[in-house]
Amino acid sequence: MELMIPVQTSAEAKMPLYEQIYLYLKEEIRSGRLKYGMRLPSTRLLAENLKVSRSTTQMAYDQLLSEGYIESRPCKGYFVLDIRELVEIRETAVNEFFGEEQEKKNKWKIDFSPRGIDLESFPYGTWRRISKKILVDDKKELFLSGNHQGEPSLREAIGNYLHTARGVRVSPEQIVLGAGNEYLLMLLYQILGKDRVIGMENPTYKQAYFVFHSLGYQVMPISMDAQGIQVDKLEESGADVAYVMPSHQHPMGIVMPVRRRMELLSWAARKEGRYIIEDDYDSEFRYRGKPIPALQGSDREGRVIYIGTFSRSIAPAIRISYMVLPQNLLYSYRQNCGFYASTVSRIDQNILYEFLVSGAYERHLNRMRAIYKAKHDILLSKIRPLENKFEILGENAGVHILLRVREKAGKTVSEQELVERAAAYGVRVYGLSGFFIHPNHNEYPAMLVLGYANLTESEIEEGMELLKTAYLECASKK
């Protein structure tokens, strides 16, 4: 199909071209003018029709993909998704994508978004220097199709990093690179087959749920306790694939202890065809104690599929994620997906390779740990006046914490009331209910998720002063 999108290409345009295309298509989908299941033009065809670069249309499509408005079907193209369940994810993703401008539109003084990262500390100079180095010569081969799994040199570098930093047992042939975790999960659909039941921790990372749901999988929400996913509940669910985040569960921040990890691996080994998808979410950022090894390193039966991304540790625009397949799934991958071209630019892959092997990535991680720890410590210090009303959970790792209302005699404040009180003072906070597969599954006391990565230290202090006023003064008036 051909789309006529009104775009302003002049210097007077108030927003970038990709943002104009993204906003137009989003509104067409939300209004129903682009209906569920409709196929969109390819990025190349749309770029030709609009007389813009292909990277511009790709950026617009990438954002629509990440928010769940469209899906990419390998070898078929882009298709409009059913958006009835996507209100919560859409609002947070838009705020992340357009940053400060969107923040101003929403009129939030402080936004404790759990999805942000600190882009002010991105090593722009190093990235620019490596980029120039990669492109200084006429390297024509970089503009040809590369290995379908990703550049061998980069896969080897990632494998070395995962082995030393995360304890992952891996060879380069087991690694598949892709443009985002969503793409890799869609590849898994081709590898594992459609007749699967997915057991997911609940609450969970909703974007993964949306991908599984859009692929037609039956998803079973599995409740958690203080040690993570309850394996007996997983067994009862009939699931044959478990999606877990054992090193730092999102959003609860739970670190799965060794005993529970062994129970989970035993569950997978008991029946042929069972697998565990380990999403190593925020594993790089831990502020107390030693790093927690990956579950995959303890797997001796070939049942763990390990997934990670550089989007959280470097920048969201670095759309390079990796998947480590067990040896016994490599044949299925080659048979069902071996003909797919890599979705990551060879230029970007080579830049990331240099970033890794030069030591720049390790230096960047060390710096970000120090920056995030400073923000983390300020946030915790400012929460102290609220400790008689809230219990702090999920601290000492990741880039968010949780505040759980302490149970007391009499009426307990609701999550919605906490969100509304904060909003009255211009502060955006996030209720835990938004992370459940179905919000009515939430049986926890009222709980808030506060992210701090994309806030400055002064913004954290200001936000917590406003929250203190909202929760203490408002309470005293009752």
Side-chain angles (χ1 to χ4, degrees):
M1 64 177 295
E2 183 175 337
L3 287 176
M4 299 301 296
I5 301 177
V7 295
Q8 289 183 301
T9 58
S10 65
E12 289 76 25
K14 295 182 179 180
M15 63 179 67
L17 287 170
Y18 71 87
E19 185 177 344
Q20 295 180 49
I21 297 168
Y22 154 75
L23 291 174
Y24 179 85
L25 290 176
K26 183 186 76 169
E27 183 55 35
E28 290 291 289
I29 294 171
R30 291 178 62 183
S31 67
R33 288 187 288 272
L34 287 177
K35 300 185 182 300
Y36 168 55
M38 289 181 63
R39 181 179 179 179
L40 298 178
S42 68
T43 56
R44 179 188 58 79
L45 182 60
L46 184 60
E48 290 177 356
N49 291 340
L50 299 180
K51 306 298 188 235
V52 299
S53 70
R54 188 173 179 182
S55 63
T56 297
T57 55
Q58 187 65 61
M59 287 177 67
Y61 275 20
D62 284 347
Q63 183 57 26
L64 291 167
L65 277 168
S66 69
E67 294 183 31
Y69 286 104
I70 65 175
E71 65 175 337
S72 175
R73 300 177 188 172
C75 302
K76 293 183 179 179
Y78 295 94
F79 294 82
V80 177
L81 282 175
D82 187 347
I83 65 167
R84 286 173 294 181
E85 296 184 76
L86 303 183
V87 174
E88 191 270 341
I89 190 93
R90 179 178 65 234
E91 291 179 350
T92 55
V94 169
N95 191 60
E96 288 298 323
F97 191 55
F98 297 119
E100 293 180 358
E101 288 190 5
Q102 188 65 33
E103 209 170 276
K104 291 176 183 176
K105 292 177 186 177
N106 290 338
K107 297 181 180 179
W108 298 108
K109 293 179 182 177
I110 304 294
D111 185 348
F112 283 101
S113 170
R115 292 171 56 86
I117 72 166
D118 187 338
L119 284 176
E120 293 297 322
S121 302
F122 181 79
Y124 293 101
T126 301
W127 197 265
R128 188 182 304 113
R129 175 177 54 77
I130 293 174
S131 300
K132 288 181 178 180
K133 176 184 175 183
I134 296 297
L135 296 171
V136 70
D137 298 320
D138 295 332
K139 297 180 179 179
K140 297 179 181 178
E141 68 275 9
L142 292 183
F143 295 90
L144 300 173
S145 296
N147 188 290
H148 61 278
Q149 287 185 229
E151 295 291 281
S153 58
L154 177 56
R155 286 189 282 124
E156 183 175 2
I158 291 174
N160 291 337
Y161 166 73
L162 293 178
H163 180 66
T164 57
R166 305 294 303 121
V168 174
R169 298 156 58 91
V170 59
S171 64
E173 68 168 1
Q174 294 174 260
I175 298 175
V176 180
L177 304 183
N181 283 14
E182 296 91 344
Y183 171 77
L184 295 178
L185 292 178
M186 288 189 284
L187 277 188
L188 270 181
Y189 175 79
Q190 303 287 331
I191 297 169
L192 296 176
K194 62 181 180 179
D195 298 322
R196 293 283 184 168
V197 179
I198 312 292
M200 294 190 75
E201 299 165 323
N202 201 32
T204 191
Y205 176 50
K206 289 287 285 289
Q207 187 75 345
Y209 164 72
F210 287 130
V211 173
F212 290 136
H213 180 73
S214 71
L215 292 171
Y217 278 131
Q218 181 182 1
V219 178
M220 303 298 293
I222 312 297
S223 57
M224 295 189 295
D225 58 21
Q227 297 184 343
I229 192 169
Q230 298 186 62
V231 179
D232 57 339
K233 303 290 186 184
L234 178 64
E235 182 72 55
E236 293 170 5
S237 73
D240 53 10
V241 176
Y243 175 90
V244 297
M245 293 165 275
S247 294
H248 186 252
Q249 203 277 337
H250 182 77
M252 298 302 293
I254 296 170
V255 176
M256 188 181 293
V258 172
R259 184 184 180 92
R260 183 62 56 85
R261 291 176 181 231
M262 294 304 103
E263 291 175 0
L264 187 57
L265 290 172
S266 296
W267 167 85
R270 276 197 293 272
K271 287 187 179 180
E272 191 62 36
R274 282 182 174 176
Y275 288 97
I276 300 166
I277 301 172
E278 178 183 9
D279 186 342
D280 207 9
Y281 188 88
D282 268 356
S283 63
E284 296 90 355
F285 304 118
R286 187 165 182 80
Y287 316 122
R288 182 179 296 176
K290 296 181 179 179
I292 307 301
L295 175 67
Q296 193 267 8
S298 301
D299 176 27
R300 298 297 183 271
E301 302 292 331
R303 300 304 180 96
V304 178
I305 301 161
Y306 179 90
I307 290 180
T309 182
F310 290 101
S311 294
R312 294 287 293 175
S313 59
I314 301 180
I318 310 301
R319 298 288 294 169
I320 303 180
S321 294
Y322 46 86
M323 175 168 63
V324 178
L325 291 171
Q327 289 284 350
N328 56 28
L329 288 181
L330 288 179
Y331 177 78
S332 177
Y333 165 74
R334 288 164 184 155
Q335 286 290 108
N336 298 316
C337 309
F339 52 89
Y340 294 151
S342 175
T343 54
V344 184
S345 158
R346 294 185 74 190
I347 295 174
D348 290 341
Q349 290 187 58
N350 277 271
I351 293 172
L352 180 57
Y353 167 76
E354 290 290 338
F355 195 67
L356 287 171
V357 300
S358 68
Y361 181 61
E362 184 177 359
R363 291 191 295 273
H364 173 64
L365 280 184
N366 290 336
R367 182 173 181 234
M368 295 313 300
R369 286 191 193 102
I371 290 172
Y372 287 149
K373 185 180 186 303
K375 294 182 179 184
H376 164 272
D377 292 348
I378 287 174
L379 181 61
L380 292 184
S381 70
K382 294 300 179 180
I383 286 174
R384 288 198 184 101
L386 296 172
E387 283 184 329
N388 64 326
K389 296 185 177 295
F390 294 96
E391 180 183 0
I392 303 169
L393 302 175
E395 72 273 29
N396 301 319
V399 289
H400 75 268
I401 65 166
L402 296 98
L403 295 182
R404 180 168 64 188
V405 171
R406 294 186 184 276
E407 301 228 23
K408 297 180 179 178
K411 180 184 175 183
T412 301
V413 66
S414 70
E415 179 185 287
Q416 184 61 31
E417 188 176 356
L418 290 173
V419 172
E420 289 174 355
R421 283 189 194 176
Y425 286 82
V427 181
R428 190 174 191 183
V429 296
Y430 298 76
L432 184 66
S433 294
F435 295 85
F436 283 84
I437 292 175
H438 301 294
N440 60 352
H441 290 163
N442 185 6
E443 297 180 354
Y444 289 86
M447 199 176 307
L448 299 177
V449 181
L450 301 184
Y452 52 85
N454 61 342
L455 297 175
T456 65
E457 294 181 6
S458 61
E459 286 173 334
I460 292 171
E461 292 177 346
E462 179 186 356
M464 289 311 302
E465 286 299 317
L466 291 169
L467 286 184
K468 184 171 69 173
T469 302
Y471 295 150
L472 295 182
E473 291 188 7
C474 287
S476 65
K477 293 176 182 177
K478 291 199 166 189

